[in-house]
Amino acid sequence: MPTTDRRSELLDAADRVVRRDGPRASMNTIAAEAGITKPILYRHFGDKNGLYRALAERHTAGLLEAVRAALALQLERRDRVEAVIDTYLAAIEARPQVYRFLVHPDPAADGLSPAGPLAPALRMIADELTLAVREQVDLGPDSWVLAAAWGQAITGMVLAGGDWWLETRPFPRERMVQTLADLLWGRLAAAGERPTAGGH
């Protein structure tokens, strides 16, 4: 049975290769980096998809926590919107090759969704956004379902916009944050606040 420590060491080696090679990182290169043979690497992760999933879990746990923290900040609504967007863009900017490996995996890797191994984390981020909108923003009689639509749409917008921004770098991150926030802001600015617990 593979030990947790050994698995962690192999993920460290995979991280080093991915940061260097991005989506071109191969199982052969990762095995060589770890000083083992490819069959041993497969024994720990099953296949390349298993390695993708393990790396995604490693890198997205912190991102999810950071998004939750940004959503909980006691800021004006516009500032909170910008904080959440900036949290995501800062994460992909800090580790661009890891991001590319997870979102644009090798086409030869079978069974991966369009967002690659990052997809489960994106679903969780969408759920966090949905919950935040439901708790904080009054969208009227259909608030419950509108919040779900917004959670999904905002996540998709920031994913696609962030992907384009990371590849083209037309302007600094701060301006990209403001650009995406501007796009969201119309309806968000007009919506009322949800009364807080204990409020009137």
Side-chain angles (χ1 to χ4, degrees), residues 59-129:
H59 284 286
T60 58
L63 174 60
L64 279 165
E65 285 305 312
V67 167
R68 286 189 190 109
L71 285 167
L73 290 171
Q74 297 301 306
L75 297 171
E76 292 296 324
R77 190 184 295 168
R78 168 74 190 218
D79 293 333
R80 198 159 57 239
V81 168
E82 291 189 6
V84 172
I85 295 171
D86 189 57
T87 296
Y88 177 79
L89 294 182
I92 68 173
E93 183 180 44
R95 293 179 291 277
Q97 289 289 63
V98 173
Y99 167 81
R100 292 181 184 111
F101 179 81
L102 293 177
V103 177
H104 302 292
D106 180 347
D110 296 327
L112 295 172
S113 70
L118 203 58
L122 293 173
R123 283 194 294 273
M124 287 186 273
I125 289 172
D127 290 345
E128 293 290 335
L129 291 172

Side-chain angles (χ1 to χ4, degrees), residues 122-145:
L122 293 173
R123 283 194 294 273
M124 287 186 273
I125 289 172
D127 290 345
E128 293 290 335
L129 291 172
T130 296
L131 183 62
V133 172
R134 282 176 178 168
E135 290 179 345
Q136 299 171 18
V137 183
D138 184 358
L139 296 175
D142 294 325
S143 272
W144 196 256
V145 69

